[in-house]
Amino acid sequence: QSFLWTVVREPVDRLVSKFFHTVKEGGTTPLERFKEFLQQNANQECGSYMKTMTMRRYIHPQRTDLFPTYMSEILAAYDFIGVQERWDESLAVLQLLLGLET
């Protein structure tokens, strides 16, 4: 039997990280560049993140009534979902779940 697990990241932290990873220095201030980046990425960021999770069938922005059902299905599919911002705690819980020794 397999053990399906993943790690998710807080969306704002993820977006700020993407900004610093992809945006080059320019003639504007960092705040102005960040505002431009947000405007350019506003519509694609959620879809891009979900596609990397291979959850395309769950992306139906017009059907918000189905979100609770979709989220329940996603959560039920995984044995463990860790949180990057709480990496140490996530690894400790994963260790306990898998019965691993330190």
Side-chain angles (χ1 to χ4, degrees):
Q1 180 181 353
S2 64
F3 184 87
L4 186 60
W5 66 283
T6 190
V7 177
V8 295
R9 186 164 189 198
E10 197 278 325
V12 174
D13 288 345
R14 186 177 179 281
L15 193 61
V16 170
S17 177
K18 182 178 177 183
F19 168 74
F20 284 109
H21 180 73
T22 59
V23 175
K24 306 282 188 240
E25 290 293 322
T28 59
T29 67
L31 181 58
E32 290 170 343
R33 284 197 309 276
F34 187 64
K35 287 179 184 178
E36 291 170 7
F37 174 80
L38 290 177
Q39 290 171 345
Q40 293 169 359
N41 287 278
N43 294 329
Q44 65 181 343
E45 191 58 33
C46 177
S48 172
Y49 191 40
M50 292 298 280
K51 286 177 191 172
T52 63
M53 294 175 62
T54 64
M55 299 292 179
R56 288 184 184 184
R57 77 181 192 100
Y58 296 107
I59 302 173
H60 300 288
Q62 67 279 10
R63 294 296 312 267
T64 57
D65 59 310
L66 297 176
F67 284 1
T69 302
Y70 293 157
M71 291 301 104
S72 294
E73 288 178 17
I74 291 169
L75 291 172
Y78 285 89
D79 296 300
F80 176 74
I81 300 175
V83 179
Q84 183 173 340
E85 289 77 17
R86 298 185 69 179
W87 185 249
D88 291 342
E89 295 100 325
S90 294
L91 288 181
V93 171
L94 184 60
Q95 177 185 5
L96 289 172
L97 288 173
L98 295 176
L100 302 174
E101 296 182 21
T102 55

